[in-house]
Amino acid sequence: MTRRTGRRPGKPGTREALLDAARTAFAERGFDAASIRAIAGTAEVDPALVHHYFGSKDQLFLAAMNFPVDPGQLVPKVLAGDRDAVGERLVRTFLGIWDSPVGGAAQALLRSAVSNEWTARLLREFVTTQVLRRVLENLDVDPAELPLRGSLVATQMIGLAMMRHVVRLEPVASADPETLVAMIGPTIQRYLTGPLPS
Amino acid sequence: MTRRTGRRPGKPGTREALLDAARTAFAERGFDAASIRAIAGTAEVDPALVHHYFGSKDQLFLAAMNFPVDPGQLVPKVLAGDRDAVGERLVRTFLGIWDSPVGGAAQALLRSAVSNEWTARLLREFVTTQVLRRVLENLDVDPAELPLRGSLVATQMIGLAMMRHVVRLEPVASADPETLVAMIGPTIQRYLTGPLPS
DNA sequence: GTCTATATGGTGATAGAC
DNA sequence: GTCTATCACCATATAGAC
């Protein structure tokens, strides 16, 4: 018997439902292929409301990507502990993010970055300025080596995400996280603190 | 003064021009986003001819992907030499393929695999049955470890290709190949012949 | 605030004239 | 063999009725 005396300006959950549906759709199909109609459909909302709430498809994407993961909070956790195991901790944290609900947004970003230039730019800038820069500037490596080390780490991390969550190549796709940590951790460690060739 | 007495059944180069344009378009935009109209446009050919020659967009893609790279010929080159440097040789050969004209096809396959399920399957089967299987069965490793080692190699290789040729993250995107060989070779080597955790 | 209807344009595929 | 014209469909975005 919910008596509704005051006015109810639309269901309050529609905006969140829209964001949820958008995250899933972008994750599964990428930016271009995910359609506003389909997103509104799974959210059981009229497609026109998307424009009413977010203005455009681009802004819907940005709103959906604005996920609750704070690199500034995560990075210290990775750096805590001995320096020789930072690689393993980075892989473990990385896998944790992808296997969590937030992973949908990450998958959306990765999938979209392949077919869409401005989302690729988004991914590039997020990786470099938000993650790698933060990690590396706390590891007292030569600043001149920072970009190369960072992008090497990115090749392995993005490749791992691609194979595990996008292309789904077995057995990596369903491997135990700790197996991957044990195998890939040393790789990251060497890229971060190992010797460089030049 | 070309005298044309016999009949000329259309320009003979149209089919090749079409394949070339298709390879570039698929490489730049992926399977879904590359349009038959645009491909025919850059090839300066009528869009309807695509269907006349190839029947469908799928078959055009397959024809464009049928590139002149023979894993059965390349793999022995990778395996020749001492076992401890097979990782470096694999990275070097891999980079060579991507920087060659054939790289366009590889890029098309990778880009398409992200947004399209059946091209992803194509990539998966090509990687596993044509490349990794061949490499590993000549390295006398435990056959039970073969899938895990193979897919770990794939994570690093595909990630390298993604960052260098798709997302174009610097400085990996324009790094000297031998720098990448020196840094990533040992990673591949460890995945192939190093110890496993389990 | 919500949603129907539509404007505008791009897609793969096909039928049939030359 | 080649290409014009068209079909049927889907997209984003917007104007305006309720």
Side-chain angles (χ1 to χ4, degrees):
Chain A
M1 313 310 178
T2 63
R3 197 128 47 103
R4 43 200 184 87
T5 90
R7 81 185 166 97
R8 294 290 297 282
K11 276 213 285 288
T14 44
R15 201 193 139 94
E16 303 309 319
L18 229 24
L19 283 177
D20 260 14
R23 227 154 358 227
T24 336
F26 286 135
E28 283 174 354
R29 314 183 42 82
F31 181 82
D32 292 335
S35 79
I36 289 189
R37 288 163 134 83
I39 291 170
T42 70
E44 293 175 334
V45 162
D46 191 277
L49 286 193
V50 173
H51 291 96
H52 178 256
Y53 279 128
F54 301 98
S56 77
K57 192 184 180 182
D58 290 12
Q59 287 174 322
L60 170 62
F61 183 79
L62 285 179
M65 288 309 95
N66 198 6
F67 49 81
V69 66
D70 181 13
Q73 194 179 4
L74 228 48
V75 166
K77 259 187 57 182
V78 172
L79 294 173
D82 62 329
R83 198 183 124 107
D84 291 347
V86 66
E88 291 190 359
R89 285 197 300 276
L90 212 161
V91 175
R92 190 176 292 114
T93 308
F94 185 79
L95 287 174
I97 292 174
W98 281 81
D99 290 339
S100 80
V102 180
Q107 210 174 122
L109 196 51
L110 177 55
R111 264 211 157 89
S112 301
V114 176
S115 59
N116 198 278
E117 188 48 41
W118 77 267
T119 54
R121 185 189 182 87
L122 214 67
L123 174 62
R124 212 159 37 221
E125 292 183 353
F126 179 79
V127 169
T128 54
T129 70
Q130 296 301 308
V131 184
L132 296 178
R133 207 177 125 82
R134 279 196 158 96
V135 172
L136 285 162
E137 69 190 8
N138 286 74
L139 277 179
D140 67 332
V141 294
D142 183 349
E145 302 172 352
L146 215 135
L148 178 59
R149 291 185 186 276
S151 51
L152 281 172
V153 170
T155 65
Q156 177 61 88
M157 292 304 219
I158 296 293
L160 172 59
M162 276 281 294
M163 284 297 133
R164 188 168 164 93
H165 296 101
V166 176
V167 180
R168 292 205 162 80
L169 181 73
E170 294 294 352
V172 157
S174 45
D176 174 53
E178 282 307 313
T179 304
L180 298 174
V181 168
M183 288 302 291
I184 298 179
T187 297
I188 304 298
Q189 187 71 39
R190 194 165 52 77
Y191 291 162
L192 287 176
T193 62
L196 285 191
S198 77
Chain B
M1 315 305 182
T2 62
R3 197 127 47 102
R4 41 200 186 87
T5 89
R7 79 186 169 96
R8 291 291 297 281
K11 276 212 286 286
T14 45
R15 201 193 139 94
E16 304 308 320
L18 229 25
L19 283 177
D20 260 15
R23 224 151 6 222
T24 333
F26 286 135
E28 283 173 355
R29 313 183 43 82
F31 181 83
D32 292 336
S35 78
I36 290 190
R37 287 164 137 84
I39 291 171
T42 69
E44 294 176 331
V45 161
D46 192 277
L49 286 193
V50 173
H51 290 96
H52 177 257
Y53 280 127
F54 303 98
S56 78
K57 193 184 180 182
D58 290 12
Q59 287 175 321
L60 170 63
F61 183 80
L62 285 179
M65 286 310 95
N66 197 6
F67 49 81
V69 67
D70 180 14
Q73 195 180 3
L74 227 49
V75 166
K77 260 188 56 181
V78 172
L79 294 173
D82 63 327
R83 198 183 125 107
D84 290 348
V86 67
E88 292 191 357
R89 285 197 301 274
L90 212 161
V91 175
R92 189 176 292 115
T93 308
F94 184 80
L95 287 175
I97 292 174
W98 282 82
D99 289 339
S100 80
V102 180
Q107 211 174 120
L109 196 51
L110 178 55
R111 263 209 159 90
S112 301
V114 176
S115 59
N116 196 279
E117 187 50 41
W118 78 266
T119 54
R121 185 189 181 87
L122 214 67
L123 173 63
R124 214 160 35 222
E125 293 184 352
F126 179 79
V127 169
T128 53
T129 70
Q130 296 301 308
V131 184
L132 295 178
R133 207 179 125 82
R134 280 195 157 97
V135 172
L136 283 162
E137 69 190 8
N138 286 75
L139 277 179
D140 67 332
V141 295
D142 184 347
E145 302 172 353
L146 214 136
L148 178 59
R149 292 185 186 276
S151 52
L152 281 172
V153 170
T155 66
Q156 176 61 89
M157 292 302 219
I158 295 292
L160 171 59
M162 276 281 294
M163 284 299 132
R164 188 168 164 92
H165 296 102
V166 176
V167 181
R168 292 204 163 80
L169 181 73
E170 294 293 353
V172 156
S174 45
D176 174 53
E178 283 306 313
T179 303
L180 298 174
V181 168
M183 288 304 290
I184 298 179
T187 298
I188 304 299
Q189 186 73 38
R190 195 165 51 77
Y191 292 162
L192 287 176
T193 61
L196 285 190
S198 76

